[in-house]
Amino acid sequence: MKIEQFVMAYRVEQDRLRAMLPEGFISLRPVLRINTEIRTEKQKTVYLELNTPVEGFGKRGWLNIAHWDSLSYEKNGTSTTFRSSFLDITYTGLGTIGGCPAEKDNDGCFFGDDFVPAEKIEQNKEYCNCKFQWKFAETDAHGVSTDGKSIPAIPAEQQHVYEKQELTPENAAAIPCEQVLGAYAVTFERK
């Protein structure tokens, strides 16, 4: 299956993430990540997931907050826009190629009680600018990148203890975006 994957990460207040994590997980960085895929087998489908980096149960990886497969998309030149009732996000390719998107501390992704090992992607990524807007509520997170750079997310010491919240996409989307950390696109074959 051919995969066109679009990835964007943005910095949020890490203490708010900590207040949502289920028992057994530790927040690694103050990041929310949106992965969107155009999957082509016999027909094209769109899949999107929202994740945050965690350590739990002896593994490091991404904790899936939610995933959907009901988005539409359109391509216009170097831009690809995904739309749904809850999110608008546009990636604009910059023509700048980087290394493969593999992460050294990523064992895989936690989906509830299931753990899916990290997928090996060897193709190089193309850096993108990105613009996004969550639409669960009027005050949801939104952001724009303009320089196509990747900025590291440094873990933050705990400064606030928030009341425990359920880990839902609505609660995650309510955490303001402090900065878009980077975006890229990569195309590869999934076996």
Side-chain angles (χ1 to χ4, degrees):
M1 170 183 338
K2 179 182 172 186
I3 305 294
E4 292 176 76
Q5 185 179 70
F6 300 83
V7 179
M8 186 274 290
Y10 64 100
R11 185 173 54 236
V12 297
E13 183 184 349
Q14 193 167 8
D15 289 339
R16 294 208 34 204
L17 283 176
R18 290 180 177 114
M20 288 191 278
L21 293 181
E23 191 69 34
F25 290 103
I26 298 167
S27 176
L28 293 177
R29 295 181 297 281
V31 172
L32 287 171
R33 180 180 76 170
I34 300 170
N35 279 355
T36 312
E37 294 181 351
I38 300 172
R39 297 173 171 178
T40 306
E41 199 162 19
K42 292 182 180 174
Q43 60 185 19
K44 289 186 178 185
T45 59
V46 177
Y47 172 85
L48 180 136
E49 61 186 32
L50 174 62
N51 304 306
T52 189
V54 296
E55 182 174 334
F57 309 100
K59 298 185 185 314
R60 294 168 71 97
W62 295 89
L63 176 61
N64 185 270
I65 298 169
H67 54 278
W68 302 269
D69 57 8
S70 59
L71 283 80
S72 63
Y73 75 96
E74 64 183 55
K75 292 186 177 239
N76 184 5
T78 61
S79 295
T80 304
T81 299
F82 299 91
R83 288 192 174 85
S84 72
S85 61
F86 54 87
L87 175 69
D88 286 342
I89 187 166
T90 299
Y91 297 86
T92 301
L94 300 173
T96 305
I97 304 301
C100 76
E103 300 166 308
K104 295 177 181 144
D105 67 345
N106 180 17
D107 296 322
C109 196
F110 296 92
F111 289 87
D113 293 335
D114 294 329
F115 182 78
V116 177
E119 184 170 41
K120 187 173 183 176
I121 300 173
E122 297 175 346
Q123 286 72 18
N124 290 337
K125 61 189 171 189
E126 176 186 8
Y127 291 101
C128 297
N129 279 330
C130 186
K131 176 181 179 181
F132 79 101
Q133 170 70 60
W134 287 107
K135 301 187 302 186
F136 294 109
E138 194 173 301
T139 57
D140 279 348
H142 58 280
V144 177
S145 67
T146 57
D147 61 8
K149 294 181 180 176
S150 291
I151 302 164
I154 309 300
E157 294 291 324
Q158 187 160 6
Q159 296 184 12
H160 300 96
V161 177
Y162 290 101
E163 186 175 320
K164 189 76 174 157
Q165 282 191 301
E166 187 177 355
L167 184 65
T168 66
E170 294 85 356
N171 287 341
I175 304 172
C177 169
E178 295 177 357
Q179 183 176 26
V180 174
L181 298 169
Y184 66 84
V186 62
T187 301
F188 61 96
E189 289 289 329
R190 178 172 289 148
K191 297 174 182 157

